[in-house]
Amino acid sequence: MITPDDALAHVSLLVHSLPPQPFVDGAFRATAHGETLDNVSPRDGTSINRIARCTTADVDLAVANAKATFDAGQWRHMAPRDRKRLLLHFADLIEAQAEDFALLECIDTGKPISATRSFDIPQAINTLRYYAEAIDKVYGEVGPSPASRLSYAVHEPLGVIGVIVPWNFPLHLAMWKIAPALATGNTLVMKPSELTSLTALKLARTAIEGGLPAGVLNVVTGLGHEAGDALARHMDVQLIAFTGSERTGRQLLRAAADSNLKRVSLELGGKSPHIVFADWQDLDMVATQAAWGIFYNQGQVCTAGSRLLVERAVMETVLDRVTAVASNIIPADPLDEATNLGALSSKGHLEAVLAQVDRARADGLSILCGGQAARTDTGGYYMLPTIIADVPSDHPLAQEEIFGPLLCVTAFDTDDEALNIANGTRYGLAAGLWTASMNRAHRFADALVAGMVWINGWDSCDITMPFGGFRQSGFGRDRSIHALEKYCDVKVISHTFG
Ligand code: NAD
C-alpha cells in the first residue's frame, strides 16, 4: 500500500523529468518564444509544473518533422509485422511504467488513483495492443474483373494526422486515435488539453525508448486557440481527429474549410438518457448503475447517463435507492487508494457546474442530495454527487451537457413519452434502457437516436465495438477495426494485360 505522501513524493520526481517543452522529432525541444503555462493540480489547486505554451512556429516545426518522417517512408513502408512488433514493444514499455503513468494522470486530472491504475492506463495499453495486432490482418480487395485486367484497392495512410484531445481521459482517449493512426502508417502531431499534458509528453518519450522512429509521434502543448488552432489550420495536416466540446468541433470544421479541406472527425458531447421501465425487477442494480453511470469520473464522461428517465410507477423506489447510493459516494483525496470520487478538472469547471445547481434552485427544482462543493479546505475542486428530481424535459438542465456530477431525473408514463423525451435533445451519443420485455428492448434499440444503445447494462462495450455519436454528438468512429478506415485513403489500381 502506497500512502498519498509517498505517491506525492514520487509524482514530483516524475513531473520534473518532463521539461516544459514540446516533444518533436524524438526529443524535447525549446519553443520559439520560450513561454510556459502553469499546470495546476485539481487535487489541491497548487501548481504541479509548467508546460510549454506552443505557438504557430512550434506547431509548424512539429508538422514539418512529422511530414518529413512520413515522406521518408521508413514508417509507412515498414513491413507490417515489424510495425506490429514495434507497437507491441511500445505497449510493453508503457505497461512496465504503468504505475508512473497512473500517478501522473491522477495528479493532473484529479481522478482517483484507483481509476487511473485499473482503467485509464490499462485501457490505453489494451488499445495499443489491439491495433498493433490488427496490422497484419487487414487486407485490401481485388475487384471482379475480366481475365485481361486486374483491379485492386489498397488502403494508404493519409500522412500527418493532428490529434486534439480533452482532459477527462487524457491518455485513454488519445490512444483511441494514436494507435489506429500509427498502425496504418501515419505520423502524428498531438495536442493534449492544456490542463492535462503530462501523460502525452511521457508517452512520446516512451515511444522513442521503444524504438519508434523519431518524428512519428510528436506532442505540442499549449492553448486551444493557439497551438490547437495552428494545427487545425495547417496545410500539411490531412486529418484532425478530435474529441472535445461542440464549440471547438465547430471551430475545427471552419478551420478545415479555410485551409486545405482536411478531414475532421468529431467525438463531441452528449446528454445520454438512462431509461428505467417498471417491469425491470432488480432496482438495486439499476440504482447502482444509474449512480455510477453519471458520477464515475466526477461526471466528466461524454457518455454519462446524465438524464435518468423513470416510469412513474417505480419512481419513488428508484429515487430512494439512487439517492442512497449517491449519498455514500464521498469525494476524497485522489492519491488515496480507497478514493472512488476525485476532483473536477479545474476551478472554472467546478464553478460552472455549481452555477447549474444555482439555476436549479432558482427555478424551484428539488435537489435530493449534494448540490455543493466539498473539501474546500484542501484548495481542490471537489463536489458532492447531486441529484435533481422532476426536471422538465425541456429545462436547460435536461438539454445542455453539464459534464459534472449532476443527475437530472424525469418521470414518464408511456413508451412513446419515454422515447420522445430520450430523443428530445440535439445530441445522440449513447442511450440505455432497463426492461424485461424483449419486444420493447428491440423497439427502443431501433428508435433511439444514438450511436450506442445499451440494454440492461450501462456502458457495456469495449475496444471491439465502434464508439461515436449521431446528430451534434459528432461523426466518425473511434474503436474497433472500423477506426482504421478513418486514417486511410482507398487507392484503386487497375492493370490491363496486353
Ligand atoms: P474543448 O473542446 O474545450 O477542448 C478539447 C481540446 O481542444 C483541448 O486540447 C483544447 O485545447 C483544444 N481546443 C480548444 N479550442 C480549440 C481551437 N479553437 N482549435 C483547436 N483546438 C482547440 O473540450 P474540453 O473542455 O477539454 O472537454 C470537454 C468536452 O469534451 C465535453 O463537451 C465532452 O462531452 C467532450 N468529450 C467528448 C468525448 C467523446 O468521445 N464524444 C469524450 C470526452 C469528452
Side-chain angles (χ1 to χ4, degrees):
M1 166 127 178
I2 305 175
T3 66
D5 284 346
D6 291 344
L8 204 54
H10 186 54
V11 93
S12 145
L13 292 176
L14 293 172
V15 164
H16 289 103
S17 73
L18 300 169
Q21 294 175 337
F23 195 91
V24 176
D25 198 23
F28 288 104
R29 312 265 171 201
T31 56
H33 302 286
E35 280 191 48
T36 57
L37 298 165
D38 200 15
N39 185 23
V40 170
S41 174
R43 173 181 176 264
D44 59 4
T46 62
S47 174
I48 317 173
N49 68 335
R50 299 194 73 81
I51 58 160
R53 180 174 177 170
C54 293
T55 57
T56 303
D58 308 310
V59 172
D60 286 350
L61 184 70
V63 174
N65 272 290
K67 183 169 186 312
T69 307
F70 182 79
D71 291 345
Q74 182 200 359
W75 181 244
R76 67 176 291 199
H77 291 135
M78 188 178 280
R81 67 171 175 276
D82 293 335
R83 200 157 66 234
K84 173 170 96 171
R85 187 178 45 75
L86 274 181
L87 291 183
L88 288 175
H89 180 52
F90 181 21
D92 290 345
L93 281 193
I94 302 170
E95 192 166 51
Q97 303 171 66
E99 177 65 10
D100 292 354
F101 276 100
L103 280 168
L104 286 173
E105 204 76 305
C106 168
I107 202 79
D108 219 7
T109 59
K111 63 170 77 187
I113 185 70
S114 59
T116 59
R117 273 187 193 142
S118 67
F119 184 79
D120 293 71
I121 308 307
Q123 287 294 323
I125 296 164
N126 185 48
T127 299
L128 184 52
R129 289 193 173 130
Y130 177 89
Y131 287 106
E133 284 160 0
I135 289 176
D136 55 1
K137 297 169 192 69
V138 177
Y139 293 76
E141 58 189 57
V142 176
S145 316
S148 59
R149 191 188 310 143
L150 174 65
S151 299
Y152 56 101
V154 293
H155 288 93
E156 292 196 346
L158 297 176
V160 179
I161 310 292
V163 170
I164 302 181
V165 281
W167 40 258
N168 57 339
F169 293 93
L171 192 66
H172 170 50
L173 293 183
M175 197 58 95
W176 281 2
K177 303 175 194 308
I178 294 170
L182 290 181
T184 42
N186 298 280
T187 58
L188 272 71
V189 177
M190 170 180 169
K191 209 228 47 88
S193 166
E194 50 274 36
L195 300 178
T196 55
S197 297
L198 298 180
T199 49
L201 292 169
K202 184 170 170 58
L203 184 79
R205 188 173 62 192
T206 306
I208 293 297
E209 291 161 5
L212 262 71
V216 165
L217 176 54
N218 306 279
V219 173
V220 290
T221 57
L223 300 172
H225 67 275
E226 294 178 352
D229 187 60
L231 194 57
R233 291 180 187 280
H234 204 291
M235 297 301 282
D236 288 328
V237 170
Q238 302 305 325
L239 161 74
I240 293 287
F242 176 71
T243 296
S245 64
E246 280 169 86
R247 182 184 48 81
T248 306
R250 288 176 206 283
Q251 282 165 336
L252 295 175
L253 289 174
R254 278 186 214 110
D258 290 345
S259 56
N260 61 341
L261 289 176
K262 59 178 64 62
R263 297 155 193 222
V264 177
S265 71
L266 301 177
E267 301 279 7
L268 308 177
K271 193 76 189 175
S272 301
H274 198 157
I275 312 167
V276 182
F277 287 96
D279 65 358
W280 182 260
Q281 295 293 310
D282 190 348
L283 294 180
D284 283 326
M285 180 196 270
V286 165
T288 303
Q289 296 224 9
W292 283 109
I294 173 71
F295 300 128
Y296 184 73
N297 209 41
Q298 301 69 245
Q300 304 164 134
V301 180
C302 50
T303 52
S306 50
R307 292 185 294 149
L308 185 62
L309 314 184
V310 184
E311 191 167 352
R312 202 176 301 277
V314 288
M315 177 57 103
E316 203 179 319
T317 314
V318 169
L319 269 190
D320 284 351
R321 295 186 194 180
V322 180
T323 308
V325 176
S327 303
N328 277 318
I329 304 175
I330 312 289
D333 183 354
L335 282 174
D336 187 329
E337 294 180 348
T339 297
N340 55 17
L341 192 76
L344 274 70
S345 65
S346 68
K347 186 166 185 283
H349 185 50
L350 171 64
E351 287 168 358
V353 178
L354 289 171
Q356 297 295 334
V357 179
D358 290 343
R359 177 201 287 231
R361 280 201 188 93
D363 289 351
L365 296 175
S366 160
I367 298 169
L368 299 184
C369 64
Q372 60 192 44
R375 291 171 57 78
T376 47
D377 56 317
T378 63
Y381 315 131
Y382 301 86
M383 180 174 165
L384 295 175
T386 300
I387 300 180
I388 305 183
D390 300 326
V391 181
S393 59
D394 59 353
H395 191 279
L397 258 72
Q399 290 289 320
E400 300 300 324
E401 185 183 49
I402 294 169
F403 220 57
L406 194 157
L407 179 64
C408 296
V409 188
T410 303
F412 66 85
D413 292 298
T414 66
D415 284 25
D416 283 351
E417 192 188 2
L419 198 56
N420 281 337
I421 297 173
N423 286 341
T425 72
R426 67 181 183 282
Y427 297 109
L429 190 53
L433 66 150
W434 298 84
T435 180
S437 160
M438 287 275 283
N439 288 349
R440 175 189 281 140
H442 288 287
R443 200 163 60 242
F444 270 70
D446 177 59
L448 283 165
V449 183
M452 293 161 282
V453 176
W454 301 311
I455 301 168
N456 299 344
W458 187 256
D459 199 358
S460 51
C461 293
D462 62 14
I463 188 68
T464 58
M465 296 302 289
F467 181 104
F470 290 178
R471 301 200 288 207
Q472 291 182 43
S473 289
F475 52 84
R477 292 292 181 269
D478 283 329
R479 299 198 316 202
S480 86
I481 293 297
H482 293 289
L484 294 169
E485 294 158 15
K486 191 158 90 181
Y487 300 97
C488 293
D489 249 331
V490 176
K491 180 185 276 179
V492 170
I493 299 158
S494 189
H495 183 184
T496 304
F497 319 113

